[in-house]
Amino acid sequence: MEISGLISAVVIGIVIGILGRLVVPGRQHIGILWTLVVGIAAALAGTAVAAGLDVADTDGVDWIEWLIQIGLAALGVAALSRVKRLD
């Protein structure tokens, strides 16, 4: 992977993490760094899921892929927040 691909993956992961955090209602007990990590992981996993469902490459904006990524980020933020709250 080239450096430009890595940078774009991080930027997209940041956006996905923030959107995932906005979807989860209430206060999350995790910091911004964990939100970014969850977002990057959700972006990568969401791309793999979308490719598996054959919806990753469409004409125009890949809305279904974005929704999958945001949904995974919301699940990740909610799960991590629950674990951190129990600490």
Side-chain angles (χ1 to χ4, degrees), residues 22-66:
L22 289 173
V23 170
V24 177
R27 185 180 187 310
Q28 291 86 38
H29 301 280
I30 61 173
I32 191 70
L33 184 61
W34 280 113
T35 302
L36 301 180
V37 169
V38 167
I40 292 167
L44 294 172
T47 299
V49 169
L53 296 174
D54 200 27
V55 294
D57 293 321
T58 59
D59 294 334
V61 179
D62 298 326
W63 294 108
I64 297 173
E65 182 177 3
W66 274 84

Side-chain angles (χ1 to χ4, degrees), residues 57-85:
D57 293 321
T58 59
D59 294 334
V61 179
D62 298 326
W63 294 108
I64 297 173
E65 182 177 3
W66 274 84
L67 290 174
I68 292 169
Q69 291 171 336
I70 293 169
L72 289 174
L75 287 173
V77 166
L80 190 58
S81 179
R82 182 173 293 229
V83 168
K84 289 286 192 179
R85 184 176 45 167

